[in-house]
């Protein structure tokens, strides 16, 4: 009886095992590799892949997910754009922005994009028309795979020795600096062109010898190859580059640098942290609040309007413009037009020249006074206005009981939002009446 019971138990276990095996096989793709040899590779929804091999690909709508499910690589469209890009983003962040983009200057126009290896071993993005963009080039090597790592680094590596990295996205960053990534003057962050367009923008960020002192190293932001902002010098202290971080309750990042390269670790170590060079040229340190499901901005500098004459002559800089929109930080006052339609930072020119006689004043609210003002000792506002109007070179005035009368002559520079009222002179045809009020900001 005992032998019979054992046989029945074994038979029942075998039947269950076969059912499990059949169920397992239904979820797998059976691929013929060589005659008489079958290999089973599972791509179920519960086990997403993190690599593609030489003879594999991912199409638009398919993703690679890192082993701990922290990062995703796939196709996406930023903002209101319909163009498709292959990029990396955080898996757990709703509506997350990509931290790296392969084809930022060569988007796919529709959803026909495919990421794959070509016949000679280059990793490419190919579209429906047959044209392609090379993401990484390594001619003739087939012992390779592309993988998204838990650090957010997208790499090409040897399949037989996965520690052998052939190429990595950390060596070709876009606008985002992640923990573990080295920044140098050769390995730069490059801003997006706009919120909807990740193409290379006007700003770069790197770390290296100081412009003023070659023996010291510092962070450097460049705007069209002109120095835009520099940090303090590196002296070996983890926060010597940005001393203001020490005033925070918890210092969010610690920098580890030498004379040529710099990297950082977040604090706490397990919190999602990124440093981003935004499209207006400011560096942002943010950490993810897992409860609110939002990125928290901890530090941002410089506020672009602090940069002298960023918007050119007669241009008005608005530091309150959000970097999450495509709105330009630079605007022209009423009666003025951009000198270059494609570049709002080239300044503004008058639509109609001043006539000297019969000109009017537009009241610009919520302003900071421009540079180079002339102070007058008149008391009344009417006297101040008259003093400007009778001088054909006077282009603006301001008056207050506390500050008295100020006049400006010629083109205005370093105009930006603030709390003062500036009376801007325009031709009569450019205003609807004397003392027209224009609320510029607020």
């Amino acid at each position: 009886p005992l032998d019979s019971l054992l046989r029945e138990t074994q038979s029942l276990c075998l039947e269950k095992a076969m059912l499990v095996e059949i169920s397992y096989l239904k979820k797998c793709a059976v691929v013929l590799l060589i005659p008489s040899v079958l290999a089973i590779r599972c791509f179920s929804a519960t086990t997403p892949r993190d690599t593609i091999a030489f003879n594999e690909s991912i199409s638009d709508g398919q993703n690679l997910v890192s082993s701990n499910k922290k990062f995703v690589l796939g196709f996406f469209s930023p903002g209101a754009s319909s163009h498709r890009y292959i990029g990396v983003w955080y898996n757990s962040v709703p509506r997350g922005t990509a931290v790296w983009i392969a084809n930022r200057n060569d988007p796919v126009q529709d959803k026909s994009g495919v990421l794959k290896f070509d016949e000679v071993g280059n990793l490419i993005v190919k579209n429906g028309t047959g044209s392609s963009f090379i993401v990484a080039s390594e001619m003739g090597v087939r012992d390779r795979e592309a993988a998204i790592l838990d650090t957010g680094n997208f790499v090409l590596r040897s399949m037989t020795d996965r520690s052998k990295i052939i190429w990595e996205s950390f060596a070709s960053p876009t606008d985002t600096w992640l923990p573990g990534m080295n920044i140098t003057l050769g390995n730069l962050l490059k801003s997006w062109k706009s919120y909807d367009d990740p193409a290379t923008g006007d700003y770069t960020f790197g770390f290296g010898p100081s412009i003023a002192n070659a023996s010291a190293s510092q962070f450097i932001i460049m705007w069209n190859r002109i120095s835009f902002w520099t940090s303090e010098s590196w002296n070996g202290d983890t926060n010597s580059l940005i001393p203001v971080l020490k005033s925070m309750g918890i210092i969010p990042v610690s920098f580890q640098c030498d004379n040529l390269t710099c990297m950082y670790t977040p604090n706490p170590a397990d919190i999602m942290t990124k440093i981003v060079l935004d499209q207006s040229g400011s560096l942002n340190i943010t950490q993810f609040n897992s409860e609110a499901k939002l990125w928290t901005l901890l530090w941002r500098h410089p506020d672009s309007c602090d940069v002298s004459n960023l918007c050119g002559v007669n241009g008005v800089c608005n530091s309150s413009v959000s970097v999450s929109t495509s709105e330009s930080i630079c605007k022209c006052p009423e009666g003025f037009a951009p000198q270059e339609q494609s570049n709002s930072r080239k300044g503004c020119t008058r639509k109609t020249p001043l006539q000297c006689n019969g000109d009017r004043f537009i009241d610009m609210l919520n302003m900071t006074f421009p540079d180079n003002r002339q102070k007058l000792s008149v008391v009344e506002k009417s006297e101040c206005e008259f003093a400007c109007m009778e001088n054909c070179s006077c282009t603006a005035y301001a008056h207050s009981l506390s500050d008295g009368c100020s006049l400006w002559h010629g083109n205005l520079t370093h105009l930006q939002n603030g709390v003062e009222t500036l009376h801007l002179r325009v031709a009569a045809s450019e205003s609807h009446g004397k003392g027209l009020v224009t609320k510029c900001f607020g």
Side-chain angles (χ1 to χ4, degrees):
L2 181 60
D3 289 341
S4 177
L5 179 61
L6 285 173
R7 283 194 297 272
E8 289 179 4
T9 302
Q10 289 173 344
S11 176
L12 181 61
C13 287
L14 181 60
E15 288 178 9
K16 289 187 176 181
M18 291 177 65
L19 288 174
V20 169
E21 181 71 11
I22 291 170
S23 175
Y24 176 74
L25 288 173
K26 284 181 178 179
K27 296 180 181 178
C28 299
V30 181
V31 183
L32 184 64
L33 296 181
I34 56 176
S36 303
V37 178
L38 288 176
I40 299 173
R41 180 159 185 163
C42 295
F43 301 132
S44 69
T46 57
T47 313
R49 53 177 171 160
D50 60 355
T51 64
I52 52 172
F54 188 82
N55 60 343
E56 297 173 345
S57 65
I58 61 168
S59 302
D60 196 315
Q62 298 176 319
N63 296 327
L64 299 181
V65 182
S66 66
S67 61
N68 72 352
K69 297 182 175 59
K70 186 174 182 180
F71 287 96
V72 178
L73 179 133
F75 287 90
F76 77 105
S77 293
S81 173
S82 61
H83 293 164
R84 303 294 285 174
Y85 300 86
I86 191 81
V88 175
W89 61 89
Y90 285 96
N91 188 32
S92 60
V93 179
R95 301 177 299 280
T97 302
V99 298
W100 178 79
I101 301 172
N103 57 327
R104 65 185 305 183
N105 295 308
D106 294 272
V108 179
Q109 302 301 315
D110 52 32
K111 293 188 176 183
S112 64
V114 177
L115 180 69
K116 58 178 291 187
F117 288 100
D118 65 15
E119 61 278 3
V120 295
N122 298 319
L123 184 66
I124 64 171
V125 178
K126 190 172 184 179
N127 63 30
T129 65
S131 61
S132 61
F133 170 81
I134 296 178
V135 176
S137 177
E138 187 68 25
M139 300 289 286
V141 181
R142 298 199 174 200
D143 170 32
R144 67 174 60 207
E145 64 183 5
I148 178 64
L149 306 184
D150 294 331
T151 58
N153 197 8
F154 182 52
V155 303
L156 263 63
R157 65 190 182 189
S158 167
M159 294 182 70
T160 55
D161 180 8
R162 288 185 165 180
S163 65
K164 182 181 178 181
I165 303 299
I166 302 167
W167 172 92
E168 60 179 342
S169 63
F170 273 17
S172 302
T174 50
D175 68 331
T176 303
W177 186 9
L178 294 175
M181 179 189 295
N182 268 311
I183 290 295
T184 69
L185 287 183
N187 199 39
L188 300 164
L189 299 187
K190 298 177 183 178
S191 65
W192 284 28
K193 192 171 183 178
S194 71
Y195 176 69
D196 300 318
D197 186 355
T200 303
D202 294 331
Y203 298 91
T204 60
F205 166 80
F207 176 83
S210 167
I211 295 173
N213 181 7
S215 64
S217 294
Q218 61 187 176
F219 291 143
I220 303 171
I221 296 178
M222 303 289 286
W223 172 42
N224 293 323
R225 301 184 180 179
I226 300 170
S227 178
F228 179 73
W229 172 80
T230 56
S231 71
E232 300 296 321
S233 296
W234 171 253
N235 65 11
D237 186 293
T238 58
N239 292 107
S240 60
L241 294 164
I242 308 176
V244 71
L245 296 180
K246 295 180 181 179
S247 65
M248 297 183 179
I250 298 176
I251 300 174
V253 295
S254 296
F255 296 103
Q256 299 88 40
C257 313
D258 54 32
N259 289 334
L260 297 175
T261 67
C262 194
M263 63 185 299
Y264 74 92
T265 55
N267 183 31
D270 60 348
I271 192 169
M272 290 193 295
T273 303
K274 61 181 180 178
I275 299 178
V276 178
L277 179 67
D278 67 38
Q279 58 265 34
S280 65
S282 294
L283 200 65
N284 301 260
I285 299 177
T286 61
Q287 290 186 334
F288 190 68
N289 185 323
S290 57
E291 293 183 0
K293 299 294 182 183
L294 293 172
W295 287 100
T296 301
L297 178 63
L298 303 177
W299 178 85
R300 180 176 188 253
H301 202 78
D303 286 327
S304 296
C305 294
D306 292 339
V307 178
S308 181
N309 207 28
L310 177 72
C311 296
V313 295
N314 303 315
V316 183
C317 186
N318 184 5
S319 60
S320 64
V321 169
S322 171
V323 296
S324 64
T325 71
S326 58
E327 184 181 356
S328 173
I329 197 172
C330 296
K331 298 290 186 182
C332 290
E334 185 169 343
F336 291 75
Q339 291 194 33
E340 290 186 13
Q341 290 293 335
S342 60
N343 190 346
S344 63
R345 299 188 179 180
K346 288 292 186 179
C348 306
T349 186
R350 291 183 181 275
K351 295 178 181 178
T352 305
L354 293 176
Q355 306 300 305
C356 194
N357 294 318
D359 294 332
R360 306 291 181 88
F361 288 99
I362 290 176
D363 297 344
M364 299 177 66
L365 307 183
N366 305 319
M367 296 292 296
T368 295
F369 290 152
D371 298 333
N372 304 319
R373 63 177 170 174
Q374 175 194 358
K375 296 286 288 183
L376 291 186
S377 58
V378 299
V379 176
E380 300 295 331
K381 179 184 177 184
S382 59
E383 294 177 293
C384 188
E385 179 179 336
F386 180 78
C388 184
M389 186 63 77
E390 71 171 357
N391 187 332
C392 292
S393 68
C394 182
T395 50
Y397 80 92
H399 181 274
S400 69
L401 293 177
S402 60
D403 199 38
C405 178
S406 300
L407 304 184
W408 287 266
H409 300 268
N411 288 323
L412 303 177
T413 58
H414 202 34
L415 283 168
Q416 60 176 301
N417 58 310
V419 296
E420 308 288 352
T421 297
L422 181 72
H423 308 280
L424 179 65
R425 186 174 186 166
V426 297
S429 60
E430 296 297 335
S431 73
H432 301 293
K434 185 174 183 293
L436 176 69
V437 175
T438 300
K439 187 174 183 180
C440 291
F441 305 110

